Amino acid sequence: TMPARPFASIARSPSCSAPEAAAAVNTARRGTEPGHAAPSPASDAWLALRLFALAPATLGGVCLRAGAGPVRDRWIADLKASLPPHTPWRPCPVHIDTDRLLGGLDLAATLRIGRSVAQRGLLAEADGGVVVLAMAERASESTVAHLAAALESGELIVARNGIDERHAARFGVLALDEGAKESLLDRAAFHVELDGLSLRELDAVPDATPMTASSTGDALRHAELADDILEALCAAALALGVSSTRRRSR
């Protein structure tokens, strides 16, 4: 398991230092490596889980490649349990229509009241949380484009059917199954593969505990990294075959 672009999106603001960002990472690592055990594929996969739970919108997403089964079920359950209480968790059907995804006219309410009434879409409902995209490789180009746009801007503009509204839409994406379109992969901090892991290898993984909305998440959101650290990360990305040079600016 390898975090594909783990810190490309955290060089943001001078309000937080690189050591504070490292402290956030160490907080997550302590939850996955009891007794400072040597890293393993399982511990790496659960480290990515806990980092993502700290700041889903900042880290963009996780591409989780794993066949259906108890290992994947455990990872997903632990992610849900690691998120702060009341964090939105919105499954996104692969064939979702545009009105449900973005929001639009609430026809029943409009006919009842006699004026245009808007309904919120799934992306607005997911603000501050996680959108779960099952069968990500089968998602339509339209759905992927809307997800990517919201990941990029952190907001949703609905201007259709007589409705002109703007909603916050800061979320992370959990893309499941065989993979996802490149535009989503490019925005996901972590690419995690669980195939080959057995339940026995998860014995050392501690039970999930909810992360709190605290300074650790803020550190990831607002950290500024020194040029030498950024250069080292870029060199590592090149050495590991991570071709994207994308840096999100939100």
Side-chain angles (χ1 to χ4, degrees):
T1 306
M2 182 184 73
R5 282 170 287 279
F7 299 112
S9 61
I10 66 175
R12 292 291 176 268
S13 150
S15 61
C16 195
S17 67
E20 290 172 304
V25 175
N26 289 334
T27 296
R29 185 176 290 279
R30 283 196 297 272
T32 59
E33 296 180 10
H36 303 285
S40 68
S43 65
D44 283 349
W46 263 257
L47 173 60
L49 177 158
R50 292 193 50 93
L51 286 171
F52 182 60
L54 279 172
T58 300
L59 293 173
V62 179
C63 176
L64 184 65
R65 294 193 175 191
V71 174
R72 189 181 80 167
D73 291 346
R74 166 78 184 275
W75 195 96
I76 294 172
D78 281 2
L79 173 60
K80 291 182 70 173
S82 297
L83 293 166
H86 312 301
T87 296
W89 179 274
R90 294 293 185 272
C92 180
V94 68
H95 297 302
I96 190 170
D97 61 49
T98 302
D99 282 346
R100 177 66 190 110
L101 186 68
L102 303 181
L105 193 67
D106 186 330
L107 186 57
T110 296
L111 293 175
R112 185 174 64 253
I113 297 174
R115 59 178 175 79
S116 295
V117 178
Q119 61 180 354
R120 296 177 74 205
L122 182 144
L123 299 187
E125 293 172 357
D127 181 49
V130 177
V131 171
V132 183
L133 185 62
M135 296 186 291
E137 76 282 359
R138 300 185 186 179
S140 70
E141 295 292 344
S142 174
T143 296
V144 171
H146 290 310
L147 283 167
L151 286 170
E152 196 69 31
S153 66
E155 65 177 6
L156 190 66
I157 299 173
V158 181
R160 51 204 298 267
N161 299 327
I163 297 168
D164 187 4
E165 294 187 345
R166 185 185 300 262
H167 301 283
R170 285 182 52 80
F171 54 80
V173 173
L174 173 58
L176 299 175
D177 297 326
E178 295 302 318
K181 302 291 194 298
E182 187 61 32
S183 56
L184 286 183
L185 290 175
D186 209 26
R187 291 168 171 80
F190 304 106
H191 299 179
V192 177
E193 294 190 13
L194 299 181
D195 289 333
L197 288 181
S198 66
L199 283 175
R200 185 175 180 179
E201 292 176 86
L202 306 189
D203 290 344
V205 175
D207 293 335
T209 55
M211 309 295 281
T212 58
S214 65
S215 60
T216 54
D218 290 337
L220 287 176
R221 281 188 286 272
H222 303 297
E224 179 181 84
L225 300 184
D227 288 345
D228 59 338
I229 295 177
L230 291 173
E231 289 172 4
L233 289 171
C234 290
L238 288 173
L240 293 170
V242 180
S243 59
S244 173
T245 56
R246 179 178 197 79
R247 283 183 57 191
R248 287 176 287 127
S249 58
R250 71 177 191 280

